[in-house]
Amino acid sequence: MSSSSSRNAFEDGKYKSNLLTLDSSSRCCKITPSSRASPSPPKQLLVATPVEEGDYPVVMLLHGYLLYNSFYSQLMLHVSSHGFILIAPQLYSIAGPDTMDEIKSTAEIMDWLSVGLNHFLPAQVTPNLSKFALSGHSRGGKTAFAVALKKFGYSSNLKISTLIGIDPVDGTGKGKQTPPPVLAYHPNSFDLDKTPILVIGSGLGETTRNPLFPPCAPPGVNHREFFRECQGPAWHFVAKDYGHLDMLDDDTKGIRGKSSYCLCKNGEERRPMRRFVGGLVVSFLKAYLEGDDRELVKIKDGCHEDVPVEIQEFEVIM
């Protein structure tokens, strides 16, 4: 992979980024003949975009179960500051165990990106959809894999360049997967045509906080099994002493925001895990979308001085 300008991925990058909210009432920023007929997004979207003129890869981030996309604002701004446009749809407000509607909505939003996104971004910003990453956290990670696998009747014409699972979860335990099940329990069974994959796990995700509830990332349906079913190239990192929701914003408002501190076993604070997740995502995207693997190689070799957490486990399939 080639060398290009680099910056510490675990800290903010060089690009100033802003947050935008797009919904059915949003107006196009770019007034052109085609923009007047541009459709509104199928779901409300939170967008983190650099404000400087440029052409930027696009990353979609799917939220976890019963969480709001706004809970990921700090993570999104971190990644965006390194030269990426982040798109986080609000897939639902209330949902049962079945994820088919989320799979369908994700595919619809991906198709909308090609015809609509450019018209709603600042005039000087251009999305480069030939470099598109699909990512998701928790149940959103499962949804991202489901869309990429194209097994469930809904897919998009937009090519997925890289796939990222942030502590992905497929149910409450082995044999208790949420429909439709994504994990097949066969090693290397995910046939994704050599799409590069990053899987990030939390060391405390398998630990129960309350004996009345299962752990937030139960054994048998969490990051380990997702990685075990990947084909290469695939990377797997696990952060020691941090929990399933520790990459969310420090201040998550409302009842759901408050409960995010109570439902899962957590680390002492969120910032280190959020920086770890953001830095890994940036390093992975730089390597596989932009040909600059210096940060990722330093992390792999254990010689990156700025990793904000202790890496409990690391595996790679090439």
Side-chain angles (χ1 to χ4, degrees):
M1 296 179 183
S2 66
S3 244
S4 64
S5 62
S6 189
R7 194 181 181 104
N8 178 8
F10 296 106
E11 297 296 335
D12 290 343
K14 67 180 183 179
Y15 296 94
K16 183 182 184 307
S17 293
N18 285 345
L19 288 172
L20 311 172
T21 299
L22 305 182
D23 54 29
S24 59
S25 65
S26 298
R27 294 185 178 182
C28 296
C29 294
K30 298 171 182 174
I31 305 302
T32 66
S34 61
S35 71
R36 292 188 179 91
S38 179
S40 299
K43 295 283 185 178
Q44 185 257 1
L45 305 178
L46 183 66
V47 179
T49 176
V51 298
E52 295 179 30
E53 182 176 357
D55 182 299
Y56 302 101
V58 176
V59 183
M60 185 183 289
L61 172 62
L62 308 179
H63 61 81
Y65 185 53
L66 297 180
L67 298 176
Y68 292 125
N69 54 5
S70 59
F71 292 174
Y72 299 85
S73 298
Q74 289 175 285
L75 175 62
M76 292 172 65
L77 287 169
H78 176 174
V79 176
S80 181
S81 73
H82 287 269
F84 300 94
I85 298 169
L86 274 288
I87 310 289
Q90 187 63 48
L91 292 173
Y92 55 84
S93 294
I94 299 173
D98 195 303
T99 57
M100 282 302 295
D101 283 347
E102 291 131 85
I103 295 168
K104 177 176 181 287
S105 293
T106 299
E108 290 173 348
I109 295 164
M110 287 171 59
D111 284 338
W112 175 85
L113 294 177
S114 300
V115 297
L117 177 61
N118 184 50
H119 302 298
F120 291 89
L121 294 174
Q124 70 278 13
V125 173
T126 302
N128 182 354
L129 289 168
S130 69
K131 297 178 179 181
F132 173 73
L134 181 61
S135 69
H137 168 231
S138 189
R139 174 160 154 158
K142 167 192 170 141
T143 302
F145 272 86
V147 172
L149 287 166
K150 299 182 178 181
K151 283 185 176 180
F152 304 106
Y154 300 105
S155 61
S156 170
N157 293 323
L158 181 61
K159 178 178 171 53
I160 299 170
S161 302
T162 61
L163 179 63
I164 301 170
I166 302 171
D167 224 15
V169 176
D170 187 10
T172 58
K174 190 171 182 179
K176 300 177 182 177
Q177 292 167 265
T178 52
V182 170
L183 295 172
Y185 298 100
H186 299 297
N188 313 120
S189 59
F190 287 160
D191 184 4
L192 293 168
D193 196 25
K194 298 184 178 180
T195 299
I197 301 169
L198 172 64
V199 179
I200 303 171
S202 61
L204 298 180
E206 295 179 343
T207 304
T208 300
R209 181 184 179 106
N210 185 324
L212 298 176
F213 298 99
C216 288
V221 290
N222 67 15
H223 57 94
R224 288 192 178 85
E225 189 59 37
F226 275 88
F227 179 74
R228 194 174 78 92
E229 299 192 21
C230 290
Q231 301 174 7
W235 299 68
H236 181 211
F237 294 89
V238 181
K240 185 178 181 181
D241 296 330
Y242 286 90
H244 183 65
L245 300 177
D246 282 338
M247 70 292 299
L248 300 182
D249 290 356
D250 291 324
D251 183 15
T252 46
K253 300 184 185 302
I255 294 174
R256 295 189 191 186
K258 297 280 191 291
S259 67
S260 72
Y261 276 97
C262 305
L263 296 176
C264 303
K265 184 73 173 176
N266 303 318
E268 291 186 1
E269 59 175 323
R270 286 179 170 176
R271 186 177 190 277
M273 182 62 170
R274 190 171 58 244
R275 288 287 170 177
F276 178 63
V277 170
L280 279 181
V281 169
V282 168
S283 301
F284 180 75
L285 295 175
K286 290 284 188 183
Y288 284 100
L289 297 184
E290 302 195 340
D292 180 1
D293 66 350
R294 287 177 291 173
E295 291 278 283
L296 190 60
V297 168
K298 284 197 296 181
I299 300 167
K300 173 182 75 72
D301 292 343
C303 57
H304 199 300
E305 297 178 353
D306 298 304
V307 178
V309 305
E310 182 179 345
I311 296 176
Q312 178 177 305
E313 301 169 38
F314 165 69
E315 303 171 86
V316 64
I317 304 170
M318 298 306 288

